[in-house]
PDB file of all heavy atoms in Angstrom:
ATOM      1  N   LEU A  61     -22.650  -4.057  -6.777  1.00  0.00           N
ATOM      2  CA  LEU A  61     -23.005  -3.071  -7.804  1.00  0.00           C
ATOM      3  C   LEU A  61     -22.503  -3.422  -9.199  1.00  0.00           C
ATOM      4  O   LEU A  61     -22.974  -2.840 -10.180  1.00  0.00           O
ATOM      5  CB  LEU A  61     -22.477  -1.688  -7.397  1.00  0.00           C
ATOM      6  CG  LEU A  61     -22.987  -1.157  -6.051  1.00  0.00           C
ATOM      7  CD1 LEU A  61     -22.273   0.143  -5.685  1.00  0.00           C
ATOM      8  CD2 LEU A  61     -24.489  -0.931  -6.101  1.00  0.00           C
ATOM      9  N   LYS A  62     -21.531  -4.300  -9.307  1.00  0.00           N
ATOM     10  CA  LYS A  62     -20.975  -4.720 -10.601  1.00  0.00           C
ATOM     11  C   LYS A  62     -20.561  -3.524 -11.470  1.00  0.00           C
ATOM     12  O   LYS A  62     -21.000  -3.369 -12.611  1.00  0.00           O
ATOM     13  CB  LYS A  62     -21.999  -5.574 -11.369  1.00  0.00           C
ATOM     14  CG  LYS A  62     -22.497  -6.793 -10.607  1.00  0.00           C
ATOM     15  CD  LYS A  62     -21.405  -7.806 -10.363  1.00  0.00           C
ATOM     16  CE  LYS A  62     -21.934  -9.132  -9.815  1.00  0.00           C
ATOM     17  NZ  LYS A  62     -22.561  -9.012  -8.494  1.00  0.00           N
ATOM     18  N   PRO A  63     -19.690  -2.652 -10.965  1.00  0.00           N
ATOM     19  CA  PRO A  63     -19.253  -1.512 -11.777  1.00  0.00           C
ATOM     20  C   PRO A  63     -18.357  -1.955 -12.926  1.00  0.00           C
ATOM     21  O   PRO A  63     -17.764  -3.039 -12.888  1.00  0.00           O
ATOM     22  CB  PRO A  63     -18.470  -0.657 -10.778  1.00  0.00           C
ATOM     23  CG  PRO A  63     -17.919  -1.660  -9.813  1.00  0.00           C
ATOM     24  CD  PRO A  63     -18.995  -2.708  -9.668  1.00  0.00           C
ATOM     25  N   ASP A  64     -18.257  -1.113 -13.946  1.00  0.00           N
ATOM     26  CA  ASP A  64     -17.327  -1.384 -15.043  1.00  0.00           C
ATOM     27  C   ASP A  64     -15.891  -1.089 -14.624  1.00  0.00           C
ATOM     28  O   ASP A  64     -14.960  -1.798 -15.003  1.00  0.00           O
ATOM     29  CB  ASP A  64     -17.684  -0.528 -16.262  1.00  0.00           C
ATOM     30  CG  ASP A  64     -19.089  -0.799 -16.756  1.00  0.00           C
ATOM     31  OD1 ASP A  64     -19.343  -1.944 -17.167  1.00  0.00           O
ATOM     32  OD2 ASP A  64     -19.930   0.121 -16.713  1.00  0.00           O
ATOM     33  N   ILE A  65     -15.725  -0.011 -13.838  1.00  0.00           N
ATOM     34  CA  ILE A  65     -14.395   0.449 -13.434  1.00  0.00           C
ATOM     35  C   ILE A  65     -14.434   0.880 -11.977  1.00  0.00           C
ATOM     36  O   ILE A  65     -15.420   1.464 -11.514  1.00  0.00           O
ATOM     37  CB  ILE A  65     -13.929   1.645 -14.302  1.00  0.00           C
ATOM     38  CG1 ILE A  65     -13.892   1.268 -15.788  1.00  0.00           C
ATOM     39  CG2 ILE A  65     -12.550   2.141 -13.856  1.00  0.00           C
ATOM     40  CD1 ILE A  65     -13.623   2.450 -16.709  1.00  0.00           C
ATOM     41  N   VAL A  66     -13.347   0.611 -11.261  1.00  0.00           N
ATOM     42  CA  VAL A  66     -13.159   1.136  -9.907  1.00  0.00           C
ATOM     43  C   VAL A  66     -12.008   2.130  -9.944  1.00  0.00           C
ATOM     44  O   VAL A  66     -10.916   1.803 -10.416  1.00  0.00           O
ATOM     45  CB  VAL A  66     -12.833   0.017  -8.906  1.00  0.00           C
ATOM     46  CG1 VAL A  66     -12.666   0.601  -7.495  1.00  0.00           C
ATOM     47  CG2 VAL A  66     -13.915  -1.057  -8.907  1.00  0.00           C
ATOM     48  N   VAL A  67     -12.263   3.345  -9.473  1.00  0.00           N
ATOM     49  CA  VAL A  67     -11.198   4.331  -9.280  1.00  0.00           C
ATOM     50  C   VAL A  67     -10.740   4.164  -7.837  1.00  0.00           C
ATOM     51  O   VAL A  67     -11.461   4.494  -6.895  1.00  0.00           O
ATOM     52  CB  VAL A  67     -11.686   5.767  -9.540  1.00  0.00           C
ATOM     53  CG1 VAL A  67     -10.564   6.765  -9.260  1.00  0.00           C
ATOM     54  CG2 VAL A  67     -12.163   5.895 -10.982  1.00  0.00           C
ATOM     55  N   MET A  68      -9.547   3.630  -7.652  1.00  0.00           N
ATOM     56  CA  MET A  68      -9.091   3.127  -6.355  1.00  0.00           C
ATOM     57  C   MET A  68      -7.956   3.965  -5.765  1.00  0.00           C
ATOM     58  O   MET A  68      -6.911   4.140  -6.393  1.00  0.00           O
ATOM     59  CB  MET A  68      -8.604   1.683  -6.542  1.00  0.00           C
ATOM     60  CG  MET A  68      -8.142   0.993  -5.286  1.00  0.00           C
ATOM     61  SD  MET A  68      -9.517   0.395  -4.279  1.00  0.00           S
ATOM     62  CE  MET A  68     -10.053  -1.016  -5.277  1.00  0.00           C
ATOM     63  N   ASP A  69      -8.178   4.467  -4.556  1.00  0.00           N
ATOM     64  CA  ASP A  69      -7.102   5.118  -3.815  1.00  0.00           C
ATOM     65  C   ASP A  69      -6.145   4.053  -3.282  1.00  0.00           C
ATOM     66  O   ASP A  69      -6.556   2.916  -3.033  1.00  0.00           O
ATOM     67  CB  ASP A  69      -7.704   5.929  -2.663  1.00  0.00           C
ATOM     68  CG  ASP A  69      -6.657   6.718  -1.893  1.00  0.00           C
ATOM     69  OD1 ASP A  69      -5.611   7.064  -2.481  1.00  0.00           O
ATOM     70  OD2 ASP A  69      -6.886   6.998  -0.703  1.00  0.00           O
ATOM     71  N   MET A  70      -4.891   4.414  -3.095  1.00  0.00           N
ATOM     72  CA  MET A  70      -3.908   3.446  -2.628  1.00  0.00           C
ATOM     73  C   MET A  70      -4.004   3.201  -1.127  1.00  0.00           C
ATOM     74  O   MET A  70      -4.051   2.058  -0.669  1.00  0.00           O
ATOM     75  CB  MET A  70      -2.497   3.932  -2.983  1.00  0.00           C
ATOM     76  CG  MET A  70      -1.390   3.006  -2.554  1.00  0.00           C
ATOM     77  SD  MET A  70      -1.488   1.389  -3.367  1.00  0.00           S
ATOM     78  CE  MET A  70      -0.617   0.390  -2.173  1.00  0.00           C
ATOM     79  N   THR A  71      -4.024   4.263  -0.334  1.00  0.00           N
ATOM     80  CA  THR A  71      -3.994   4.110   1.118  1.00  0.00           C
ATOM     81  C   THR A  71      -5.363   4.381   1.708  1.00  0.00           C
ATOM     82  O   THR A  71      -5.835   5.520   1.727  1.00  0.00           O
ATOM     83  CB  THR A  71      -2.957   5.067   1.735  1.00  0.00           C
ATOM     84  OG1 THR A  71      -3.158   6.389   1.231  1.00  0.00           O
ATOM     85  CG2 THR A  71      -1.549   4.627   1.395  1.00  0.00           C
ATOM     86  N   MET A  72      -6.021   3.303   2.167  1.00  0.00           N
ATOM     87  CA  MET A  72      -7.336   3.395   2.799  1.00  0.00           C
ATOM     88  C   MET A  72      -7.346   2.521   4.042  1.00  0.00           C
ATOM     89  O   MET A  72      -6.571   1.573   4.149  1.00  0.00           O
ATOM     90  CB  MET A  72      -8.432   2.938   1.827  1.00  0.00           C
ATOM     91  CG  MET A  72      -8.697   3.894   0.687  1.00  0.00           C
ATOM     92  SD  MET A  72     -10.073   3.325  -0.344  1.00  0.00           S
ATOM     93  CE  MET A  72      -9.314   1.886  -1.118  1.00  0.00           C
ATOM     94  N   PRO A  73      -8.242   2.816   4.997  1.00  0.00           N
ATOM     95  CA  PRO A  73      -8.303   2.008   6.216  1.00  0.00           C
ATOM     96  C   PRO A  73      -8.754   0.579   5.942  1.00  0.00           C
ATOM     97  O   PRO A  73      -9.409   0.297   4.946  1.00  0.00           O
ATOM     98  CB  PRO A  73      -9.363   2.750   7.062  1.00  0.00           C
ATOM     99  CG  PRO A  73      -9.497   4.101   6.459  1.00  0.00           C
ATOM    100  CD  PRO A  73      -9.167   3.955   5.008  1.00  0.00           C
ATOM    101  N   GLU A  74      -8.385  -0.318   6.861  1.00  0.00           N
ATOM    102  CA  GLU A  74      -8.810  -1.717   6.899  1.00  0.00           C
ATOM    103  C   GLU A  74      -8.212  -2.577   5.788  1.00  0.00           C
ATOM    104  O   GLU A  74      -7.738  -3.673   6.039  1.00  0.00           O
ATOM    105  CB  GLU A  74     -10.334  -1.836   6.883  1.00  0.00           C
ATOM    106  CG  GLU A  74     -11.014  -1.265   8.109  1.00  0.00           C
ATOM    107  CD  GLU A  74     -12.498  -1.548   8.111  1.00  0.00           C
ATOM    108  OE1 GLU A  74     -12.963  -2.378   7.314  1.00  0.00           O
ATOM    109  OE2 GLU A  74     -13.207  -0.924   8.917  1.00  0.00           O
ATOM    110  N   LEU A  75      -8.263  -2.086   4.555  1.00  0.00           N
ATOM    111  CA  LEU A  75      -7.702  -2.826   3.428  1.00  0.00           C
ATOM    112  C   LEU A  75      -7.213  -1.804   2.409  1.00  0.00           C
ATOM    113  O   LEU A  75      -7.996  -0.994   1.908  1.00  0.00           O
ATOM    114  CB  LEU A  75      -8.773  -3.736   2.806  1.00  0.00           C
ATOM    115  CG  LEU A  75      -8.283  -4.785   1.810  1.00  0.00           C
ATOM    116  CD1 LEU A  75      -7.490  -5.876   2.529  1.00  0.00           C
ATOM    117  CD2 LEU A  75      -9.461  -5.411   1.070  1.00  0.00           C
ATOM    118  N   ASN A  76      -5.913  -1.804   2.124  1.00  0.00           N
ATOM    119  CA  ASN A  76      -5.371  -0.794   1.213  1.00  0.00           C
ATOM    120  C   ASN A  76      -5.784  -1.080  -0.228  1.00  0.00           C
ATOM    121  O   ASN A  76      -6.249  -2.169  -0.565  1.00  0.00           O
ATOM    122  CB  ASN A  76      -3.850  -0.709   1.359  1.00  0.00           C
ATOM    123  CG  ASN A  76      -3.168  -1.987   0.927  1.00  0.00           C
ATOM    124  OD1 ASN A  76      -2.969  -2.233  -0.256  1.00  0.00           O
ATOM    125  ND2 ASN A  76      -2.808  -2.834   1.898  1.00  0.00           N
ATOM    126  N   GLY A  77      -5.598  -0.083  -1.077  1.00  0.00           N
ATOM    127  CA  GLY A  77      -6.040  -0.197  -2.461  1.00  0.00           C
ATOM    128  C   GLY A  77      -5.373  -1.314  -3.232  1.00  0.00           C
ATOM    129  O   GLY A  77      -5.978  -1.930  -4.107  1.00  0.00           O
ATOM    130  N   LEU A  78      -4.120  -1.603  -2.905  1.00  0.00           N
ATOM    131  CA  LEU A  78      -3.395  -2.661  -3.605  1.00  0.00           C
ATOM    132  C   LEU A  78      -4.022  -4.020  -3.305  1.00  0.00           C
ATOM    133  O   LEU A  78      -4.285  -4.811  -4.219  1.00  0.00           O
ATOM    134  CB  LEU A  78      -1.932  -2.638  -3.182  1.00  0.00           C
ATOM    135  CG  LEU A  78      -0.970  -3.503  -3.981  1.00  0.00           C
ATOM    136  CD1 LEU A  78      -0.925  -3.073  -5.429  1.00  0.00           C
ATOM    137  CD2 LEU A  78       0.420  -3.435  -3.359  1.00  0.00           C
ATOM    138  N   GLU A  79      -4.285  -4.289  -2.027  1.00  0.00           N
ATOM    139  CA  GLU A  79      -4.876  -5.571  -1.660  1.00  0.00           C
ATOM    140  C   GLU A  79      -6.322  -5.669  -2.149  1.00  0.00           C
ATOM    141  O   GLU A  79      -6.776  -6.731  -2.588  1.00  0.00           O
ATOM    142  CB  GLU A  79      -4.806  -5.771  -0.144  1.00  0.00           C
ATOM    143  CG  GLU A  79      -5.194  -7.163   0.306  1.00  0.00           C
ATOM    144  CD  GLU A  79      -4.322  -8.228  -0.338  1.00  0.00           C
ATOM    145  OE1 GLU A  79      -3.097  -8.009  -0.488  1.00  0.00           O
ATOM    146  OE2 GLU A  79      -4.872  -9.286  -0.710  1.00  0.00           O
ATOM    147  N   ALA A  80      -7.054  -4.554  -2.085  1.00  0.00           N
ATOM    148  CA  ALA A  80      -8.433  -4.547  -2.594  1.00  0.00           C
ATOM    149  C   ALA A  80      -8.444  -4.858  -4.090  1.00  0.00           C
ATOM    150  O   ALA A  80      -9.304  -5.607  -4.574  1.00  0.00           O
ATOM    151  CB  ALA A  80      -9.089  -3.198  -2.329  1.00  0.00           C
TER     152      ALA A  80
END
Side-chain angles (χ1 to χ4, degrees):
L61 302 174
K62 304 294 190 296
D64 300 297
I65 301 172
V66 181
V67 177
M68 182 79 73
D69 184 27
M70 180 63 205
T71 50
M72 289 184 290
E74 295 186 13
L75 192 70
N76 65 80
L78 190 61
E79 189 58 39

